[in-house]
Amino acid sequence: MTIGDSVAWYEDDKLWEIMEPIMFTEARIAYTTDEVDSIKSLCKIQQDETILDLCCGIGRHSLEFARRGHRVVGVDRTELYLERARRSAEDEKLDIEFVLDDMRTFHRKNSFDVVLSMFTSFSYFEDHEEQILVLRNIYSSLRAGGRFILESMGKEVLARIFLRQSWSEWSHGFMLEEREAIENWSKMHNTWIFIERNGSINKWDVTHWIYSATEIKKMFEDVGFSDVKIYGGLDGREYDNEATRLVVIGTK
Ligand SMILES: C[S@@+](CC[C@H](N)C(=O)[O-])C[C@H]1O[C@@H](n2cnc3c(N)ncnc32)[C@H](O)[C@@H]1O
């Protein structure tokens, strides 16, 4: 068994490689058009507005926004994903700039009208201040009046649906997950074990912050965002006991 935790989990290319078919299923990719409809409506995005897709992965939102005529920049730290994103853009003759960079360093002052952070791409770093640094970069990259939309799993939702253990099957094999709330529910510690059909077994310890709606709202406000709105899903539902996700939108 390989223990893949000699570097921080989020900096391990091998983990992102294994996760590719698990995260980017055909169903999830197909659902992207609905997500973009919802983002456009929640953030009131105008036709001439420019989008930064932060942690863009294989570029599913970047591609969909570009298909709809928006100028898009996608940023991600995983070269494998960016190569796939660039190939897709080329195949469709879409002009998208894909940048290999870290969300802790990437920023372009006053350059975007909307920044996206979709599908739990925030809250990875051990040190809370690094999350704040990411928020500051986003704030700096937005033009006045620009909006940042963060789509993630809220602490309240996670506590409601919490499962200590679960397993799932994907194209290459099985994934076992064990979860534990640590540091007074400020972080989730996950053990991920991947058992592939070819016999290889890999294990990662994945710890990330989990924020309540109130905590994340305050973080947004602390870096300068105003009119911070909270939703329980991209469909704009309330963040109540039936929320499925945590969606936060702040305005510069
Ligand atoms: C859960 S995926 C989401 C991808 C995409 N937003 C989507 O909805 O399909 C998280 C993404 O964050 C990227 N990522 C992880 N750490 C990063 C970092 N420090 N800077 C930039 N991207 C990062 C990963 O490579 C991965 O593509």
Side-chain angles (χ1 to χ4, degrees):
M1 180 189 297
T2 308
I3 311 287
D5 54 8
S6 52
V7 292
W9 65 268
Y10 47 81
E11 289 182 342
D12 196 332
D13 286 330
K14 174 84 179 150
L15 175 63
W16 294 113
E17 188 188 329
I18 288 188
M19 287 298 285
E20 184 178 357
I22 300 173
M23 291 195 301
F24 307 122
T25 58
E26 271 178 38
R28 178 158 282 120
I29 292 169
Y31 188 56
T32 309
T33 49
D34 286 356
E35 288 184 332
V36 169
D37 285 344
S38 303
I39 297 166
K40 285 198 81 160
S41 147
L42 277 184
C43 295
K44 301 184 178 59
I45 299 178
Q46 304 301 308
Q47 196 47 48
D48 59 349
E49 291 195 308
T50 301
I51 315 289
L52 168 62
D53 185 5
L54 196 61
C55 303
C56 64
I58 60 166
R60 55 194 188 100
H61 300 98
S62 298
L63 292 158
E64 186 55 30
F65 272 102
R67 282 179 201 121
R68 297 179 190 205
H70 291 274
R71 201 172 78 71
V72 183
V73 176
V75 174
D76 203 282
R77 52 87 48 216
T78 305
E79 181 66 45
L80 178 75
Y81 293 172
L82 288 185
E83 280 167 13
R84 181 167 162 188
R86 287 192 189 106
R87 273 199 308 277
S88 306
E90 226 174 270
D91 288 350
E92 292 192 49
K93 300 194 173 23
L94 294 169
D95 185 16
I96 305 174
E97 181 188 353
F98 285 110
V99 181
L100 179 71
D101 206 343
D102 191 295
M103 62 177 132
R104 289 165 291 184
T105 46
F106 180 87
H107 63 100
R108 283 186 193 168
K109 212 164 192 283
N110 302 329
S111 299
F112 301 98
D113 300 296
V114 178
V115 178
L116 320 175
S117 175
M118 298 297 296
F119 187 23
T120 321
S121 299
F122 189 74
S123 76
Y124 294 170
F125 309 114
E126 252 169 71
D127 180 358
H128 173 75
E129 282 310 309
E130 290 187 286
Q131 261 72 238
I132 299 293
L133 177 62
V134 175
L135 288 179
R136 283 196 208 291
N137 287 340
I138 292 167
Y139 191 83
S140 153
S141 297
L142 281 168
R143 298 193 179 105
R147 288 82 75 209
F148 169 42
I149 178 164
L150 171 72
E151 191 263 339
S152 192
M153 175 58 78
K155 183 169 1 205
E156 296 87 346
V157 179
L158 195 54
R160 192 188 76 224
I161 63 172
F162 185 79
L163 278 180
R164 181 85 182 80
Q165 294 173 319
S166 62
W167 67 271
S168 50
E169 186 175 2
W170 94 107
S171 50
H172 295 55
F174 296 91
M175 178 180 180
L176 311 179
E177 299 179 61
E178 279 186 1
R179 308 175 187 85
E180 183 189 11
I182 60 169
E183 297 177 32
N184 306 318
W185 270 94
S186 52
K187 290 181 183 166
M188 188 58 53
H189 171 250
N190 306 273
T191 306
W192 289 352
I193 300 173
F194 301 91
I195 304 166
E196 295 189 55
R197 290 185 213 284
N198 65 13
S200 80
I201 301 177
N202 288 280
K203 170 182 170 286
W204 271 272
D205 281 306
V206 172
T207 299
H208 57 84
W209 290 81
I210 40 172
Y211 298 113
S212 70
T214 308
E215 285 164 348
I216 193 83
K217 185 166 192 263
K218 180 163 186 322
M219 287 163 66
F220 270 52
E221 288 167 349
D222 285 350
V223 301
F225 284 104
S226 57
D227 193 24
V228 180
K229 294 196 164 66
I230 302 283
Y231 300 97
L234 280 175
D235 55 4
R237 69 180 71 181
E238 272 185 55
Y239 192 70
D240 59 14
N241 50 293
E242 284 172 16
T244 53
R245 301 287 288 166
L246 172 59
V247 176
V248 190
I249 301 176
T251 302
K252 177 165 175 178

